[in-house]
Amino acid sequence: MSTPEPTSPARARTSNAGRYLFLLILGLVVGVVAAVMVLRALDARKDHFPEALMEVQSWHMGQLKSAMEQNRCSATDVLPHLQALRTLGNDLEPAFPDLRDDERFRTAAAGMRAAADKAIAAPPLSCESVAAAMKSLGDGCKSCHRDFRS
């Protein structure tokens, strides 16, 4: 009769350690996937309109700055961006419904729209006048950001 060879205790511990390591790694992967899913679900519930509005306004201001740097300051180069900024100015109150009743916010939004109206009514014909229009628009933006941006 043959006697079975006894298993060594060191070998049993090694195989258990491998199993525990596998379960630890699996738990970490599942935890990361679950965390990403929760964060995406929370982000999907968020209103992206205010951030998108600010991003588009910033892009148009950047285009005006780029036109100035390239010395392309004719009305045909800058007027579309000024018109877009004016149109986007109409969406300021709907984008920030919590601030709609705040007098400082309404004044800043109206100032931004007035600056855009002034620039559209007398389109800038030189880079200096584009710079003045951008400063006027930027002052409206800064007054609101100073009071409400966190």
Side-chain angles (χ1 to χ4, degrees):
M1 219 186 246
S2 66
T3 58
E5 192 175 315
T7 59
S8 68
R11 185 174 178 206
R13 273 187 257 135
T14 306
S15 66
N16 284 340
R19 288 181 192 141
Y20 292 140
L21 180 64
F22 173 75
L23 288 176
L24 175 69
I25 292 171
L26 180 66
L28 289 174
V29 169
V30 169
V32 167
V33 169
V36 168
M37 289 174 64
V38 167
L39 290 174
R40 285 192 179 182
L42 290 174
D43 187 53
R45 297 176 69 191
K46 185 175 145 185
D47 183 16
H48 295 285
F49 181 51
E51 293 170 1
L53 179 67
M54 292 294 111
E55 190 70 30
V56 173
Q57 283 183 331
S58 175
W59 183 83
H60 282 289
M61 289 293 282
Q63 292 300 306
L64 288 172
K65 182 179 179 182
S66 176
M68 261 183 17
E69 290 169 353
Q70 296 172 8
N71 200 26
R72 297 186 63 188
C73 298
S74 68
T76 57
D77 291 325
V78 298
L79 199 55
H81 298 293
L82 293 171
Q83 290 170 336
L85 285 167
R86 176 56 178 98
T87 302
L88 292 169
N90 291 336
D91 292 330
L92 288 171
E93 285 88 353
F96 298 97
D98 297 343
L99 301 175
R100 184 177 293 161
D101 296 330
D102 192 309
E103 185 62 34
R104 295 174 301 163
F105 179 75
R106 287 196 317 245
T107 302
M112 188 267 190
R113 286 190 293 267
D117 286 338
K118 181 180 173 188
I120 291 169
L125 301 176
S126 67
C127 287
E128 291 79 23
S129 57
V130 172
M134 284 185 62
K135 183 181 180 330
S136 178
L137 286 164
D139 289 344
C141 294
K142 284 178 188 173
S143 68
C144 189
H145 286 196
R146 178 186 62 238
D147 293 337
F148 299 106
R149 193 173 192 185
S150 50

